Amino acid sequence: MLTDPANENRVPAHWYNILADLPFELPPDLTPPAQRDHPRAMKLQLPLALVRQSMTRERLIPIPEPVLQKYLSWRPTPLRRARALEHQIGTRARIYYKYEGGNASGSHKLCTALAQAYYYASAGTGRLVTGTGAGQWGTALAVACQEFGLACKVYMVAKSFQEKPYRKTIMRLYDAEIVPSPDPEAQRAALSSGPGEVHPGNIAYAVTEAFSDALAHPGTQLSVGSGEAYAILHSTVVGLEAREQLGPAEQPDIVIGSLGAGSNFGGIAMPFIGQKLRGESDVRCVAVEAQSCPKLTRGQYRYDYTDGSGVSPLQKMYTLGSRFTTGGGHIGGLRYHACSKIISALYHHRLVEASASSQSDIFASGVLFSRTEGILPAPESAHAVHAAIEMAKRADEEGTAPVILFCLSGHGLFDLASYEEYLNGTLEDVPVSDEEIRRSLAHLPELDVKAAG
Amino acid sequence: MLTDPANENRVPAHWYNILADLPFELPPDLTPPAQRDHPRAMKLQLPLALVRQSMTRERLIPIPEPVLQKYLSWRPTPLRRARALEHQIGTRARIYYKYEGGNASGSHKLCTALAQAYYYASAGTGRLVTGTGAGQWGTALAVACQEFGLACKVYMVAKSFQEKPYRKTIMRLYDAEIVPSPDPEAQRAALSSGPGEVHPGNIAYAVTEAFSDALAHPGTQLSVGSGEAYAILHSTVVGLEAREQLGPAEQPDIVIGSLGAGSNFGGIAMPFIGQKLRGESDVRCVAVEAQSCPKLTRGQYRYDYTDGSGVSPLQKMYTLGSRFTTGGGHIGGLRYHACSKIISALYHHRLVEASASSQSDIFASGVLFSRTEGILPAPESAHAVHAAIEMAKRADEEGTAPVILFCLSGHGLFDLASYEEYLNGTLEDVPVSDEEIRRSLAHLPELDVKAAG
């Protein structure tokens, strides 16, 4: 938009920190035994600002001016009422969506990517590495690194790397290096030198590869996209802005976000959960996960690693186990094995709700949304779309007319191969058996179970 | 955006008709000899509203309420000052861009597609067919047809059809049928039955195939995307809106648009050309074409067909000949052989300027724009980006600081294969020789030359 003082006033100048309002203590992180034996892991250092942001009880954290200036290049993002969708499904509910796909990276992830790149650059880091699933986070970090003059390398889950070649091009446009994870050459080497194990690839493994890269290169740090408290904090600009745009007269009854590790759901929901915790509303907040990666609805609340390295801190989370690789399908961005410890704790205390959607359902809702509202949702974002539609229908059956707000976190223009499969009727759901979940969780060391107990 | 009366007031309620202000008569269209022998061609009928809009001298044409309502689902579009780009190139010029890529179709073409679908549906048409180059027009018509309940079939230039498979998926999402042009089966049949000629495909040929389809199917009409007076008229909402958003204090010195057949350039420029014709400004308006399809800068001003059928009306235009297929590269959307008769006449009378850009230059500027402003331009749109940068640099050399406005007509997320080529250094310019242009123009029948004389 044209420089417009009215607009600048509509972009929040701070992030919202849920820690200020939590009515319980979060279980502490634990140092895994392997880290005690591998002090080199300690070489990786979070910038002090991010450490502080993970711990402070301050409710509103000022957004640093350089980050705010970048936000203003595409924020405020549109908040729209989905009138055509409402009309199409014949609901009495009022459905609003906050659209976060209109920036260079195509998703909400740019909110924390810019903040992290800024803090790392300020702390003297010259290069960031990361792992990415569907590529939204990798793209966001590539854009952010270019903005703040950092080099960037992205390890992308091999399946997505192959299915979405243009994600690679976008990241290259922003000067990032991008490689598939697991690294095919390393895999070949492992296999040729003996009975090596071929890892099928998942986000935790991609982060592990990035982690090794960071350890091996001085001046390089590992940046993570979603589950950390500060990543969720930076994403709350989404929910705060939506709250402001709705105006004082419109209070949502239901707030919905898709759940990967937490920044998508947390970004839209945290400010509303805060209102609820402070007794200012009784909004329902619903995290929607993929049926193929059902950590909240079918995982266990216990200590687990945040990546696959075995040396990352152990956090108490709803998890399927950091080696979880079953399921599959096209929902790369939601396939993180666990849920952020803060959201996990809120869920444990029944302060947020969870649901899981099948791939066929979310693609159907994605197409319906595209035809009515004119934006093709990323499959990840389509989980929130689907839940909003389902909850509106349920409300109609119950004779209520709630105000529903959801985050349309990104566009699906890099996901057309999977939409093509859907249109061709060849998209299949990939159910996960209880046995698979049990086996994946069995990998967690006994210590963790004790710590969790 | 949230329903916002202030917003609605910022979307023009009418289109601007340049015919009201033209200081000269347009050369009349001529009926080609072949059409006199083929009365069936007359079966295709423009809705009366579109006929009137091509002829009336009324300056402001009210936008029908159902079309305006659709516009409001994504308009007003952003007008942004390209501060980061200005900073990067170190110019004193103020560069503004109007971004038209944020709708379901991804380009400005939805403005006329919706209007045309509305008028055809109102006139009782049940199905529209069309030809498309890069796919922007086909996608826009697919979206518009779905909005107004029409069936839609798109003939897409085979080269683009193969290079951009996801364009097909998008059109299928909106229930359109899409086929490559020339039709491979018809080509095979032609070759097997004798010394048939294989047409390499171009927009004029795709329109011709659509034209045959319309003739063969009652209730079907041919819709065209760009060159017709009414298509440009409907696109003027872009320029009118920009004029309003700039505010009374900011008067552009230079307005720039990419030139395919005319709706892109005409949409942004016509309202400003009107101001100039009425003596209210002395703005320069610059149409930027592809060096591989240089109708204004190297074509001839003479009568030619608007498509390849040989039965469409002859219009006096700057043209390379409707059989022009040389050049090539990735600029599918600008490869129409001629320039709209209105813009051609304005150019002939030196009321607009023209420049031509090479493929390598426009991709370089596209990448620069993406890195500074966070939007990846379609290669077509990157022509305007490149010209804006060049004119800003020239102004700096001359010691002036003009206000430059250009239309960023669409995003490049379907064009990443060509950006990948650019990044790999394998993108080559495809020069067009004078001899090729001479040979292509030689196909025009002698009659036309006389009529043009």
Side-chain angles (χ1 to χ4, degrees):
Chain A
M1 293 278 174
L2 209 46
T3 304
D4 176 355
N7 251 356
E8 300 198 9
N9 293 338
R10 286 161 58 203
V11 176
H14 52 257
W15 296 303
Y16 166 69
N17 175 22
I18 189 87
L19 296 179
D21 293 312
L22 281 190
F24 49 78
E25 291 291 323
L26 283 179
D29 295 358
L30 301 179
T31 305
Q35 192 182 103
R36 289 178 214 123
D37 308 335
H38 285 272
R40 66 184 186 125
M42 303 308 286
K43 277 192 208 149
L44 293 188
Q45 297 236 318
L46 265 187
L48 201 56
L50 294 181
V51 176
R52 284 203 189 112
Q53 289 174 4
S54 304
M55 301 170 65
T56 178
R57 298 280 168 149
E58 204 183 336
R59 182 172 287 125
L60 298 178
I61 315 276
I63 301 173
E65 187 59 27
V67 176
L68 190 57
Q69 282 308 315
K70 304 288 181 195
Y71 281 3
L72 283 170
S73 76
W74 88 97
R75 310 201 68 89
T77 61
L79 178 79
R80 294 191 181 130
R81 176 146 172 213
R83 287 185 193 276
L85 175 67
E86 290 172 16
H87 180 76
Q88 180 67 32
I89 61 175
T91 184
R92 290 174 56 234
R94 297 198 291 286
I95 304 178
Y96 295 91
Y97 61 95
K98 179 78 168 155
Y99 180 49
E100 291 291 319
N103 63 58
S105 79
S107 83
H108 71 290
K109 298 261 180 178
L110 193 54
C111 301
T112 183
L114 283 167
Q116 291 190 41
Y118 166 75
Y119 287 123
Y120 277 107
S122 304
T125 299
R127 179 171 175 267
L128 287 178
V129 291
T130 197
T132 195
Q136 291 188 336
W137 166 244
T139 308
L141 195 66
V143 171
C145 281
Q146 221 241 357
E147 290 282 351
F148 286 107
L150 295 160
C152 178
K153 182 168 180 177
V154 177
Y155 293 80
M156 182 168 178
V157 174
K159 183 177 189 307
S160 289
F161 184 88
Q162 285 143 15
E163 283 179 358
K164 304 184 186 186
Y166 298 141
R167 274 282 176 202
K168 181 181 66 180
T169 309
I170 280 279
M171 291 187 240
R172 286 189 67 199
L173 279 175
Y174 291 93
D175 269 344
E177 185 184 353
I178 163 149
V179 292
S181 166
D183 172 14
E185 294 212 11
Q187 290 272 324
R188 270 193 294 275
L191 285 173
S192 65
S193 67
E197 192 187 344
V198 178
H199 195 289
N202 65 4
I203 300 183
Y205 192 84
V207 172
T208 303
E209 290 199 323
F211 180 77
S212 303
D213 180 319
L215 289 181
H217 296 93
T220 293
Q221 297 287 348
L222 170 72
S223 166
V224 293
S226 188
E228 295 298 327
Y230 53 81
I232 295 175
L233 174 78
H234 304 151
S235 307
T236 58
V237 65
V238 175
L240 289 168
E241 214 174 82
R243 175 59 276 170
E244 184 68 23
Q245 288 169 312
L246 279 168
E250 196 76 321
Q251 172 63 42
D253 301 294
I254 301 171
V255 174
I256 299 171
S258 305
L259 185 79
S263 74
N264 186 338
F265 171 71
I268 187 85
M270 284 304 182
F272 295 94
I273 298 172
Q275 289 191 314
K276 181 187 177 107
L277 295 177
R278 296 192 302 274
E280 297 165 16
S281 85
D282 56 355
V283 62
R284 295 171 57 191
C285 293
V286 183
V288 192
E289 56 190 15
Q291 265 187 7
S292 60
C293 193
K295 46 246 179 180
L296 283 184
T297 53
R298 295 171 66 196
Q300 290 183 7
Y301 189 43
R302 58 190 283 190
Y303 276 89
D304 192 4
Y305 302 102
T306 56
D307 63 35
S309 67
V311 296
S312 60
L314 288 158
Q315 300 190 343
K316 191 164 183 185
M317 309 180 285
Y318 278 88
T319 183
L320 299 164
S322 56
R323 298 197 189 177
F324 181 75
T325 55
T326 42
H330 294 292
I331 321 297
L334 301 188
R335 288 189 50 71
Y336 185 64
H337 65 283
C339 170
S340 150
K341 64 181 179 182
I342 298 182
I343 297 169
S344 287
L346 286 163
Y347 181 65
H348 181 67
H349 288 273
R350 298 175 192 276
L351 291 162
V352 307
E353 302 170 35
S355 71
S357 297
S358 74
Q359 192 163 246
S360 47
D361 280 347
I362 69 98
F363 274 94
S365 290
V367 171
L368 175 62
F369 191 81
S370 171
R371 289 183 180 172
T372 49
E373 296 296 319
I375 300 173
L376 185 71
E380 289 80 7
S381 316
H383 286 70
V385 175
H386 181 68
I389 293 170
E390 288 301 301
M391 295 191 79
K393 287 180 178 170
R394 206 170 311 147
D396 290 327
E397 285 165 17
E398 293 166 356
T400 61
V403 174
I404 298 175
L405 166 68
F406 71 89
C407 180
L408 187 69
S409 55
H411 68 68
L413 296 179
F414 291 109
D415 304 282
L416 285 162
S418 44
Y419 273 101
E420 180 76 21
E421 268 188 52
Y422 171 76
L423 292 174
N424 293 339
T426 54
L427 192 82
E428 282 177 10
D429 284 323
V430 191
V432 177
S433 71
D434 290 339
E435 173 58 20
E436 284 166 329
I437 294 175
R438 202 196 54 72
R439 239 184 298 138
S440 171
L441 284 168
H443 281 109
L444 294 187
E446 203 49 32
L447 163 81
D448 313 337
V449 178
K450 269 186 264 156
Chain B
M1 294 279 173
L2 208 49
T3 304
D4 175 356
N7 251 357
E8 300 198 8
N9 293 338
R10 286 161 56 203
V11 176
H14 53 259
W15 296 303
Y16 167 69
N17 175 22
I18 189 86
L19 296 179
D21 292 312
L22 280 190
F24 50 76
E25 291 290 323
L26 284 178
D29 295 357
L30 300 179
T31 305
Q35 190 181 106
R36 289 178 213 121
D37 307 335
H38 283 272
R40 68 184 183 123
M42 303 307 287
K43 277 191 207 149
L44 293 188
Q45 298 236 317
L46 266 186
L48 201 56
L50 294 180
V51 175
R52 284 203 190 113
Q53 289 174 4
S54 305
M55 302 170 65
T56 178
R57 298 280 168 150
E58 203 184 337
R59 182 171 288 126
L60 298 177
I61 315 278
I63 301 174
E65 187 58 28
V67 176
L68 191 56
Q69 281 308 315
K70 305 287 181 195
Y71 281 3
L72 283 171
S73 75
W74 87 98
R75 308 201 72 87
T77 61
L79 178 78
R80 294 190 180 130
R81 177 146 171 215
R83 286 184 193 275
L85 175 68
E86 290 172 16
H87 181 75
Q88 179 68 32
I89 63 175
T91 184
R92 290 175 54 233
R94 297 199 290 285
I95 305 177
Y96 296 91
Y97 61 95
K98 179 78 169 156
Y99 181 48
E100 291 291 319
N103 63 59
S105 79
S107 83
H108 70 290
K109 298 260 179 179
L110 193 53
C111 301
T112 183
L114 282 168
Q116 291 190 41
Y118 166 75
Y119 287 123
Y120 277 107
S122 305
T125 299
R127 178 173 176 266
L128 287 178
V129 291
T130 196
T132 196
Q136 291 189 335
W137 167 244
T139 309
L141 195 67
V143 171
C145 281
Q146 220 240 358
E147 290 281 353
F148 286 108
L150 295 160
C152 179
K153 181 169 181 177
V154 177
Y155 293 80
M156 182 168 179
V157 175
K159 182 177 189 311
S160 289
F161 184 88
Q162 285 142 16
E163 284 179 358
K164 305 183 186 187
Y166 299 141
R167 274 283 174 203
K168 181 181 67 180
T169 310
I170 280 279
M171 292 186 240
R172 286 188 67 199
L173 278 175
Y174 291 93
D175 269 344
E177 184 182 355
I178 164 149
V179 292
S181 166
D183 173 14
E185 295 212 12
Q187 291 271 323
R188 271 194 293 278
L191 285 172
S192 66
S193 69
E197 192 188 343
V198 179
H199 196 289
N202 65 5
I203 302 183
Y205 192 84
V207 172
T208 304
E209 289 199 323
F211 179 78
S212 303
D213 179 318
L215 288 180
H217 296 93
T220 294
Q221 298 287 348
L222 171 71
S223 166
V224 292
S226 188
E228 295 298 326
Y230 53 81
I232 295 175
L233 175 78
H234 304 151
S235 307
T236 58
V237 66
V238 175
L240 290 168
E241 215 173 81
R243 177 58 277 170
E244 184 70 22
Q245 287 168 312
L246 279 168
E250 196 76 322
Q251 173 62 42
D253 300 296
I254 302 171
V255 175
I256 299 170
S258 305
L259 185 78
S263 74
N264 187 337
F265 171 72
I268 186 86
M270 286 304 183
F272 295 94
I273 298 172
Q275 288 191 314
K276 181 188 177 105
L277 295 176
R278 296 191 302 273
E280 297 164 17
S281 85
D282 55 357
V283 62
R284 296 170 58 191
C285 293
V286 184
V288 192
E289 55 190 16
Q291 266 187 6
S292 60
C293 193
K295 47 247 180 179
L296 283 183
T297 53
R298 295 171 65 196
Q300 290 183 8
Y301 189 44
R302 58 190 284 190
Y303 277 89
D304 192 3
Y305 302 102
T306 55
D307 64 37
S309 67
V311 297
S312 60
L314 287 157
Q315 299 189 344
K316 192 163 182 184
M317 309 180 284
Y318 278 86
T319 183
L320 299 163
S322 56
R323 297 196 190 178
F324 181 76
T325 54
T326 42
H330 294 292
I331 323 296
L334 302 187
R335 287 189 49 72
Y336 185 64
H337 65 284
C339 170
S340 150
K341 65 181 179 183
I342 298 181
I343 296 169
S344 287
L346 287 164
Y347 181 66
H348 181 68
H349 289 272
R350 299 174 192 276
L351 291 162
V352 306
E353 303 170 36
S355 70
S357 296
S358 74
Q359 193 165 244
S360 47
D361 280 347
I362 66 99
F363 273 95
S365 290
V367 171
L368 176 62
F369 190 82
S370 171
R371 288 182 181 173
T372 48
E373 296 296 319
I375 300 173
L376 185 72
E380 290 78 6
S381 316
H383 285 71
V385 176
H386 181 68
I389 292 170
E390 288 301 301
M391 296 190 79
K393 287 180 178 170
R394 207 171 308 149
D396 290 326
E397 285 164 18
E398 293 166 357
T400 60
V403 174
I404 299 175
L405 166 69
F406 71 89
C407 181
L408 186 69
S409 55
H411 67 68
L413 296 179
F414 291 110
D415 304 281
L416 284 162
S418 44
Y419 273 101
E420 180 75 21
E421 268 188 52
Y422 171 76
L423 291 175
N424 293 338
T426 54
L427 192 83
E428 282 177 9
D429 285 324
V430 191
V432 178
S433 71
D434 290 340
E435 173 59 21
E436 283 168 328
I437 293 175
R438 202 195 54 71
R439 240 183 296 139
S440 172
L441 284 166
H443 281 110
L444 295 187
E446 203 48 34
L447 164 81
D448 313 337
V449 178
K450 268 186 265 156

